[in-house]
Amino acid sequence: IVIDNAIPTSNISKTLKYFKNIKMIIVDRDIRDTYVDLKRKKLLIGIDLHLDESVDKYIQWVKSIRKKSVFGNDKKVIKILWRDR
């Protein structure tokens, strides 16, 4: 069974204990690519994120979330850095 976004990446180590024989692949996209996609599709969340200078604010927000993410050293988790260039 493949499930998209079944486990939050904010604390994987804590969440993995609830599953038996689970494997995870985390695809971590470039922040700038994600921003452009969200802006193009008009899916940015927040009142001021539609402004041109919002890219810096978005990048700061994503970086702060990534700092809080706990991936641990679990062999059940594979993290892939995706660069679309």
Side-chain angles (χ1 to χ4, degrees):
I1 297 174
V2 176
I3 302 173
D4 184 24
N5 294 322
I7 296 176
T9 58
S10 57
N11 195 342
I12 293 169
S13 300
K14 184 177 180 180
T15 310
L16 286 178
K17 67 182 181 181
Y18 296 107
F19 297 91
K20 201 177 201 181
N21 301 322
I22 190 169
K23 305 281 186 199
M24 288 182 62
I25 300 172
I26 298 171
V27 179
D28 191 359
R29 290 181 60 198
D30 186 299
I31 299 170
R32 297 164 295 183
D33 292 335
T34 306
Y35 177 84
V36 170
D37 279 351
L38 291 173
K39 186 155 178 123
R40 188 178 302 138
K41 295 175 184 175
K42 299 183 181 184
L43 295 174
L44 283 171
I45 299 170
I47 295 170
D48 57 348
L49 288 179
H50 67 281
L51 303 173
D52 289 336
E53 66 273 4
S54 66
V55 68
D56 294 325
K57 187 178 277 191
Y58 177 78
I59 289 171
Q60 288 174 350
W61 175 70
V62 172
K63 283 183 177 181
S64 72
I65 290 173
R66 287 182 179 177
K67 283 181 186 176
K68 295 176 188 175
S69 296
V70 179
F71 295 104
N73 293 326
D74 203 309
K75 293 180 181 180
K76 299 174 187 175
V77 180
I78 297 171
K79 185 176 177 185
I80 300 169
L81 229 46
W82 179 267
R83 299 288 186 245
D84 191 23
R85 294 179 202 240

